[in-house]
Amino acid sequence: MIHTVRIDDNTRNGKKLIAEIQRYKKGVEIDNPAKSGIVPEGYVTGNDFEMMVKENIQVYCKEHGII
């Protein structure tokens, strides 16, 4: 059976857990999007997010007569 666990590595306990888990070579696989560069489904990059927000602001302003 495979379990998916979310660990906050910004906390002390999270850092301890990751350090402990990384000691095991068999049966443990850690997917870290920051290291692998593979972005999980539904996530966007910072640049894409910024573009989406700017577009939404422009649409909102046009709809409400601000621009």
Side-chain angles (χ1 to χ4, degrees):
M1 183 182 311
I2 296 175
H3 299 273
T4 301
V5 179
R6 289 176 178 37
I7 300 173
D8 183 0
D9 63 357
N10 290 321
T11 64
R12 187 179 70 180
N13 288 336
K15 289 177 185 176
K16 285 182 183 180
L17 282 170
I18 290 180
E20 176 72 20
I21 290 171
Q22 287 177 339
R23 292 183 12 199
Y24 300 99
K25 302 298 179 197
K26 292 184 179 179
V28 175
E29 181 180 336
I30 298 177
D31 294 329
N32 184 348
K35 290 184 180 178
S36 69
I38 300 170
V39 181
E41 187 177 327
Y43 282 53
V44 295
T45 63
N47 291 336
D48 291 341
F49 177 76
E50 184 178 342
M51 287 177 21
M52 288 174 21
V53 169
K54 287 180 181 179
E55 289 173 6
N56 290 342
I57 290 172
Q58 288 179 347
V59 169
Y60 178 86
C61 289
K62 287 180 183 177
E63 287 177 355
H64 292 85
I66 298 172
I67 294 181

